[in-house]
Amino acid sequence: MSPATSLGTFLRTRRSRLLPQDVALPDYGGRRRVSGLRREEIAQLAGVSVDYYTRMEQGRVPHPSAEVLDALARALKLTADERRHLHHLAGPRHGARPAARGASAQAPQEVRPMLRRLLDELTDVPALVMGRRMDVLAWNAAAVALLGDYGALDPAERNIARITFLDPASRVLFADWHSCARENVAYLHLEAGRRPDDPQLAQLIGELSMRSEEFRGWWAQHPVQDKTSGTKRFRHPVVGRLELSYETLRSADDAEQALVTYAAAPGTPSHDALRMLLAWQAPPATTTPTGPA
């Protein structure tokens, strides 16, 4: 899908979720022929012509101005993540971070030395390094105990979204599987906006769309959300229920790699269960790939 077409789809999904009362417009009653606001209502709120906005939704305005995009973001009540995504879809000249293109997008990623060092130091904290497309580049022994052994997978299969949707065990491990899975779709939409020319990302999205009806349905809704922090609940086969907080830490000079950590609040049953799990799990001989991931 071209960036202009993705932009139009994104605008339609966001328009359809709003009602007149959400944006202080009069609602004269009666049945609406479309879900959400009409095109002319969004155009009015953003201060653009109905014809121009219609052409945007139809993918016929490849490079709208930054001012128009900001006006639409306000009219559509976009979140900060959605606003950035809107600018990415409109083109890098409107403030988007330059994305890897062509051969550079396909080049294997090498884990940053400092991140490898942190993984070695975090013996009591499950942690992994997430790269482009949600690929798992490296992990520690604690992550193996909690999430499974990425080393047992073919390198091409070490992908968080792929495992979540295609490995039946993930539906058992994650107590809130639907929430976790939808968050993955939302993050992949961000990635697709940043990397419209990444063939490996397109292949991943195509495979998941073909093999998972749930992925296909959520992808059509165009959710957008960065992976930052939150809470996940687990049903672990060894220690039972766990509630862990996760943090996603990115280097200021390399946003393409992130350290993702999981921890339990001290003094909680989850903290005791995690300590028991890490004591039970013998560390494997190696926990990170030795070469480029």
Side-chain angles (χ1 to χ4, degrees):
M1 184 179 294
S2 70
T5 303
S6 296
L7 175 62
T9 301
F10 180 63
L11 291 173
R12 286 193 297 275
T13 61
R14 292 311 177 269
R15 175 168 61 87
S16 68
R17 72 183 182 181
L18 292 175
L19 296 174
Q21 55 266 34
D22 297 328
V23 292
L25 285 176
D27 186 0
Y28 299 108
R31 181 166 181 165
R32 287 179 166 246
R33 292 190 299 173
V34 296
S35 61
L37 295 180
R38 302 183 179 95
R39 286 174 174 169
E40 51 267 33
E41 290 170 325
I42 292 297
Q44 174 189 339
L45 291 167
V48 299
S49 72
V50 177
D51 176 69
Y52 185 84
Y53 179 75
T54 299
R55 287 188 287 115
M56 285 188 68
E57 282 201 1
Q58 292 172 345
R60 295 191 290 126
V61 182
H63 297 296
S65 70
E67 292 76 16
V68 166
L69 294 174
D70 287 337
L72 285 173
R74 290 190 295 271
L76 293 165
K77 294 187 172 295
L78 301 187
T79 66
D81 287 340
E82 290 171 336
R83 180 185 292 261
R84 285 190 292 270
H85 185 61
L86 178 67
H87 279 265
H88 278 119
L89 291 176
R93 69 186 181 91
H94 296 312
R97 183 187 297 272
R101 293 176 178 267
S104 62
Q106 303 179 59
Q109 286 183 278
E110 292 193 31
V111 181
R112 293 170 62 88
M114 178 55 72
L115 294 182
R116 282 192 182 276
R117 203 169 305 133
L118 285 172
L119 285 177
D120 292 338
E121 295 292 333
L122 293 173
T123 56
D124 295 332
V125 177
L128 57 86
V129 176
M130 182 181 72
R132 296 189 293 259
R133 317 171 198 97
M134 302 189 79
D135 288 342
V136 179
L137 307 181
W139 56 92
N140 64 6
V144 173
L146 176 66
L147 303 169
D149 187 4
Y150 295 108
L153 300 176
D154 184 274
E157 297 178 347
R158 296 172 190 160
N159 178 275
I160 294 172
R162 194 178 192 281
I163 293 169
T164 300
F165 280 96
L166 303 185
D167 184 354
S170 71
R171 295 175 182 264
V172 178
L173 179 62
F174 293 104
D176 299 318
W177 183 88
H178 285 84
S179 176
C180 294
R182 197 174 191 279
E183 288 173 3
N184 289 344
V185 176
Y187 184 77
L188 284 181
H189 260 301
L190 278 182
E191 284 282 87
R194 287 189 289 247
R195 312 178 194 284
D197 298 327
D198 185 341
Q200 294 179 29
L201 177 58
Q203 181 179 2
L204 172 66
I205 293 169
E207 179 187 10
L208 294 178
S209 297
M210 290 291 293
R211 300 180 62 182
S212 170
E213 182 179 354
E214 288 153 316
F215 181 92
R216 190 163 59 251
W218 284 324
W219 185 261
Q221 296 172 14
H222 212 130
V224 173
Q225 182 181 339
D226 201 359
K227 186 175 179 64
T228 53
S229 61
T231 302
K232 289 191 184 297
R233 297 190 302 119
F234 298 85
R235 293 186 295 248
H236 198 276
V238 175
V239 295
R241 294 188 174 272
L242 292 162
E243 183 172 300
L244 305 179
S245 299
Y246 71 88
E247 293 286 341
T248 306
L249 310 174
R250 290 184 175 88
S251 171
D253 60 351
D254 186 359
E256 293 192 338
Q257 293 188 31
L259 180 70
V260 183
T261 62
Y262 295 86
T268 63
S270 292
H271 186 265
D272 295 338
L274 182 59
R275 291 183 61 185
M276 183 186 306
L277 174 64
L278 299 183
W280 170 84
Q281 174 75 47
T286 178
T287 56
T288 63
T290 56

